[in-house]
Amino acid sequence: MKRRIWIPSSIMLLAGLGYAVGKTADLVMPQMDAGADVTEFVAPKSDLSLDVSLVGHTDNAFSEIAVATVEPFDADGDGTPDAHELAVPAVSKPVATSASAKLAELAQAGSSRTLSLKVAAAGSTASTADLPTMATAWQSEHFRDNPLVGEVFDARGARSSRDTLMGAASGARYLLLGEIHDNPDHHQLQADIIGGLAKLGTEPAVVFEMIPESFADVLEEFTEAGDRDVASLSEQLQWSERGWPAFSIYQPVFEAAAAEGLTLRAGDLDRQTIRAIGENGLDALSEAEIERLSLRLEVPAEQADALAETIRTAHCGLMPEGAIGAMATVQRARDGALADALVDAARESGSAVLIAGSGHVRKDRGVPNILAERDPDAATVAVQMVEVSDGEAEAADYGLTSDAPAPYDYTIFTPRNDIADPCDGLRAQMGQADQ
């Protein structure tokens, strides 16, 4: 006999854990292997052109790369290696700008065979100088004067930049933008990043956690429509009826995607499916659906325990212990649905962006973990947006340290939208449910 555990639908919505703060991850960036054992070169032909991938958003006019050849560079025939300056079109796929250092071993083997070139971006419009800055007209009211507001940090707590983030994002197949659902600044930042990707020549599909699969036809019709009436989507998607924060704060994301003609995709499971999983676990699903949602993927005990503890904390310790396991299964199923939507979307568009709560975009146990299994050769970049707290003005205060890196590639800090204790509202809501 199956045991059924009642979980209020409003509580199930909170299973998105959009406000969870993570602790561990390593930055995923394309790198050149400094330790590669290079034993064979193919001599370049005289008419061979050099195809260089260049970060188009670099702050400097030039990026340095290293090129190794069998014969020294000696175009003028004077017996000494030449210095060259090449003008090449910039492309959006980034490479490490310290490549010459990475080839130091080759240089030691024969310095005349390894040459650093300065490569100028010729006629490129792919520059983040043209992109909108991180939001400066903050809409959230609280702690705007915190020095972290508007700053970007990497997983280890080192100060980064918008340009670095955008360079990594434009070279990734999957970009995951983790939010706190009711913070309007997070959605404006998401809109700016999506618009910035388009300026850098990337046209990703945009997948939404907030839109269940049953509304896929609404998004398809919207994408095909010529007028792109974003405001009409709220009613068509039954946005307010399904309990999400006001559509108006999400509207910039939809408008940015519509302005660039990007495809919109539903990402979440339907409510009835979520409810069925919460009540009956995997027995509620067919084997094909279990496979699609990656629910056979082994979860290490440490990660499973961490997820369970996150759910307890996120629900203020008010959920019955017997419900925690069911909610963890729901969370994993929703992660699987989002990952599946991303893979499917990127298959058509070449890349995809996820708009979701920060709990879903963690690289240790969220959607990126599933993407690593589903599409192991693809680059994934995860970004969390974090509200600052009063008196906490260091990245380490938010778990960003070199000793315990965060499970996100980048963190963007914003003002806080609401300083009320969320547990007060949850206690009141659950008290009403018990009557």
Side-chain angles (χ1 to χ4, degrees):
M1 179 176 178
K2 298 186 180 68
R3 180 184 177 189
R4 295 198 170 198
I5 300 173
W6 175 77
I7 302 175
S9 60
S10 58
I11 303 302
M12 295 303 295
L13 179 62
L14 292 178
L17 306 178
Y19 42 85
V21 178
K23 308 290 181 187
T24 59
D26 288 323
L27 178 63
V28 175
M29 288 287 288
Q31 298 289 333
M32 296 182 68
D33 186 358
D37 183 13
V38 180
T39 59
E40 181 179 355
F41 294 98
V42 177
K45 299 178 181 179
S46 60
D47 60 349
L48 183 65
S49 60
L50 181 64
D51 185 13
V52 179
S53 293
L54 174 70
V55 178
H57 61 270
T58 179
D59 291 333
N60 300 318
F62 298 94
S63 291
E64 188 178 44
I65 65 170
V67 178
T69 67
V70 171
E71 298 297 331
F73 288 89
D74 185 14
D76 54 15
D78 64 0
T80 60
D82 302 327
H84 294 270
E85 185 170 295
L86 305 180
V88 299
V91 296
S92 60
K93 183 177 181 180
V95 296
T97 57
S98 59
S100 57
K102 300 293 185 181
L103 292 178
E105 294 182 6
L106 292 176
Q108 293 174 2
S111 59
S112 66
R113 301 175 188 275
T114 305
L115 182 69
S116 293
L117 305 180
K118 284 188 174 181
V119 183
S124 172
T125 59
S127 169
T128 52
D130 302 324
L131 301 181
T133 58
M134 291 296 181
T136 53
W138 302 107
Q139 300 176 64
S140 300
E141 299 180 10
H142 305 288
F143 315 132
R144 292 179 181 175
D145 59 348
N146 188 306
L148 290 177
V149 166
E151 297 297 322
V152 181
F153 288 80
D154 69 16
R156 298 179 179 275
R159 194 175 296 273
S160 188
S161 68
R162 172 200 59 160
D163 286 3
T164 301
L165 186 157
M166 290 303 300
S170 66
R173 184 170 178 83
Y174 304 109
L175 172 64
L176 286 63
L177 300 178
E179 64 184 43
I180 294 176
H181 296 313
D182 65 354
N183 191 311
D185 294 317
H186 293 192
H187 307 308
Q188 185 59 59
L189 285 168
Q190 290 167 336
D192 291 346
I193 291 170
I194 289 171
L197 287 175
K199 289 183 180 294
L200 291 172
T202 303
E203 297 183 350
V206 184
V207 177
F208 291 86
E209 174 202 350
M210 305 82 206
I211 305 176
E213 295 166 344
S214 58
F215 288 90
D217 57 340
V218 173
L219 295 183
E220 185 176 355
E221 291 174 5
F222 175 79
T223 299
E224 294 175 353
D227 55 0
R228 291 286 192 160
D229 181 10
V230 169
S232 68
L233 275 177
S234 176
E235 183 176 349
Q236 295 179 61
L237 295 172
Q238 301 176 22
W239 190 274
S240 59
E241 294 91 328
R242 292 187 294 104
W244 289 100
F247 184 80
S248 59
I249 68 173
Y250 279 88
Q251 192 161 329
V253 182
F254 287 94
E255 289 176 342
E260 302 299 338
L262 305 181
T263 300
L264 306 181
R265 291 293 195 103
D268 204 4
L269 295 170
D270 293 321
R271 181 166 294 182
Q272 59 268 30
T273 303
I274 291 175
R275 184 177 296 113
I277 296 172
E279 293 177 350
N280 300 305
L282 299 190
D283 290 341
L285 303 172
S286 67
E287 189 59 40
E289 191 71 351
I290 291 172
E291 183 70 19
R292 181 179 80 90
L293 300 178
S294 300
L295 288 171
R296 297 296 187 200
L297 184 65
E298 184 177 353
V299 179
E302 182 180 356
Q303 292 297 337
D305 292 344
L307 175 57
E309 184 57 31
T310 299
I311 291 172
R312 289 189 193 95
T313 303
H315 294 85
C316 310
L318 299 174
M319 295 300 297
E321 190 62 25
I324 301 300
M327 296 185 72
T329 301
V330 167
Q331 179 79 1
R332 290 181 55 217
R334 297 181 69 212
D335 285 343
L338 295 172
D340 185 67
L342 287 166
V343 170
D344 186 60
R347 192 177 294 119
E348 294 185 11
S349 301
S351 61
V353 173
L354 175 64
I355 304 297
S358 291
H360 286 294
V361 310
R362 297 175 60 105
K363 302 196 78 169
D364 52 355
R365 62 172 183 261
V367 174
N369 191 45
I370 299 173
L371 291 174
E373 293 290 329
R374 292 281 305 269
D375 196 356
D377 295 328
T380 299
V381 171
V383 180
Q384 68 164 337
M385 299 174 192
V386 173
E387 293 179 325
V388 295
S389 298
D390 189 24
E392 298 183 350
E394 301 291 335
D397 295 331
Y398 302 84
L400 305 179
T401 68
S402 58
D403 294 334
Y408 306 91
D409 296 312
Y410 297 96
T411 295
I412 306 173
F413 288 99
T414 74
R416 183 171 292 273
N417 181 57
D418 188 356
I419 58 175
D421 184 352
C423 293
D424 290 342
L426 190 56
R427 291 187 190 99
Q429 190 175 40
M430 293 190 71
Q432 293 172 0
D434 291 338
Q435 294 177 355

